[in-house]
Amino acid sequence: LVNGLTHLGTSISEEGYGPGLLSSVMVWIPLGILALLRVKDETAPKRFWIGFAIGVGINLAIAIITMKGAKLS
């Protein structure tokens, strides 16, 4: 879900098509929303939000590394 939203946000900010935009909008964003809705009903709230935060954190770290051109120094 977060990766799909990243692709969508990048395309909006750059005012053009970006790689992964179509699959993000058509597949990954809806699938991510459905998965979160299903898991939320079956998981304790604290556990759900911790898992959600970890997922967002991992995706943000990957986005930062990617935007820096994989240069960590």
Side-chain angles (χ1 to χ4, degrees):
L1 174 64
V2 177
N3 186 19
L5 293 173
T6 303
H7 283 285
L8 181 60
T10 301
S11 292
I12 290 170
S13 70
E14 294 181 4
E15 298 178 352
Y17 178 80
L21 176 63
L22 187 61
S23 62
S24 292
V25 172
M26 300 296 290
V27 178
W28 299 115
I29 294 172
L31 185 62
I33 291 169
L34 289 173
L36 285 176
L37 291 174
R38 179 179 171 129
V39 170
K40 189 174 182 184
D41 293 338
E42 299 175 3
T43 308
K46 183 177 179 180
R47 189 174 194 161
F48 173 82
W49 289 112
I50 289 171
F52 182 81
I54 290 170
V56 169
I58 290 170
N59 276 280
L60 286 175
I62 291 169
I64 291 168
I65 292 168
T66 302
M67 288 180 187
K68 286 187 162 199
K71 296 178 184 175
L72 296 176
S73 56

